[in-house]
Amino acid sequence: PAGLGRLLRSAYLEGVRYFDTAEGYRNSERVIGEWLTAAPEVRKSIFLATKSHVKTQSDMLKKLDQRLEALRTDYIDLLFFHGLDTAQTDWPKSKELKEAAEALKKTGKVKFVGFSTHDAMIAEQIKNAAEGGFVDVIMLKYTPWLDKDAPLNKALDACHARGIGLVSMKQLGGQTQFTAEHVPSIKAKGLPPAQGLLQAIWTDERFSASCVTLRNTEQIRENADAAR
């Protein structure tokens, strides 16, 4: 947390333009807000996503102005319903979430609405989003080594067919040790394991972005090099 401002500036200089935060990420929203205040020209050139946990779909409307105040901006590019749990599995196709998403966008303060998930019911949640057809973006715990016939893989296919944006997260947990084994070409390319894993995700046309924690400037450079 103490070095977040410096890491934000370093990431921006390396070409990072998608910044993801959340209400519960320590001081993240506040520091991003300070950065945008100090460098207002940055806001128009980045895609800013944040998230909040809510118990009912309509509660997100009450959270919106709090998120804007913390981030010191007058609009959010992408607002996530944070971490759907098993009890919320039907939300992505519910009338209530559809109405909440429409209301959020009608304010003019939110461009896109989605949800994040790493729940045990992830495949069913994502399948429901494809059936509902109103969720703009889903951020999900993802590994590029899914079986073709896995329920999650089929659900991702259905979302992609509906034009729902997909963002991977938590892809590094337990995966780097397997990267070279699954993608032999990374050795030939001279890529470190983390870069190889990102390459494996980015070659999947269904995914628009990968959300990766950048803990230091070395990781920022390595991930930016992977993108290039």
Side-chain angles (χ1 to χ4, degrees):
L4 180 56
R6 179 172 57 85
L7 293 177
L8 288 169
R9 293 189 295 273
S10 295
Y12 184 81
L13 290 173
E14 284 284 358
V16 175
R17 292 295 181 267
Y18 176 15
F19 290 85
D20 173 272
T21 183
E23 178 183 3
Y25 292 172
R26 301 196 199 182
N27 62 337
S28 177
E29 286 187 326
R30 177 179 60 79
V31 177
I32 288 174
E34 292 171 352
W35 175 43
L36 297 179
T37 300
E41 69 281 2
V42 165
R43 182 66 190 96
K44 291 183 179 180
S45 64
I46 67 169
F47 188 93
L48 183 60
T50 192
K51 322 180 198 70
S52 279
H53 285 286
V54 291
K55 293 183 178 180
T56 64
Q57 294 91 325
S58 59
D59 286 346
M60 192 63 86
L61 276 165
K62 304 170 188 175
K63 295 268 192 178
L64 177 56
D65 286 336
Q66 296 173 15
R67 307 278 60 73
L68 294 170
E69 183 179 0
L71 290 163
R72 299 191 192 181
T73 184
D74 55 4
Y75 71 98
I76 294 166
D77 294 292
L78 172 56
L79 182 61
F80 284 115
F81 285 76
H82 196 179
L84 293 198
D85 60 29
T86 299
Q88 298 166 329
T89 296
D90 289 337
W91 278 24
K93 64 176 182 181
S94 69
K95 176 185 176 184
E96 292 80 6
L97 186 59
K98 182 178 181 181
E99 290 177 346
E102 289 173 348
L104 286 163
K105 289 193 274 191
K106 193 174 181 179
T107 65
K109 301 173 182 178
V110 177
K111 291 186 177 181
F112 302 104
V113 176
F115 69 88
S116 64
T117 178
H118 39 80
D119 187 71
M121 295 294 289
I122 185 172
E124 189 69 20
Q125 291 168 349
I126 291 173
K127 176 175 174 286
N128 286 341
E131 292 176 2
F134 59 83
V135 169
D136 296 314
V137 184
I138 303 169
M139 177 181 286
L140 65 139
K141 182 179 180 181
Y142 178 71
T143 168
W145 325 128
L146 282 176
D147 290 336
K148 183 179 179 181
D149 294 326
L152 178 56
N153 205 48
K154 291 182 177 180
L156 294 174
D157 282 341
C159 281
H160 183 60
R162 292 297 299 267
I164 296 172
L166 297 172
V167 180
S168 73
M169 67 168 172
K170 297 188 183 296
Q171 54 273 306
L172 288 175
Q175 293 298 334
T176 53
Q177 65 206 37
F178 303 119
T179 305
E181 172 189 329
H182 285 88
V183 190
S185 61
I186 72 164
K187 282 189 176 180
K189 294 179 180 178
L191 299 175
Q195 288 188 341
L197 180 59
L198 290 174
Q199 292 290 333
I201 293 168
W202 291 336
T203 54
D204 186 334
E205 65 177 4
R206 298 173 299 181
F207 280 85
S208 301
S210 181
C211 184
V212 183
T213 300
L214 302 173
R215 298 185 181 277
N216 53 56
T217 53
E218 182 181 0
Q219 287 184 357
I220 291 171
R221 286 193 297 270
E222 189 172 283
N223 286 353
D225 283 343
R228 284 189 282 267

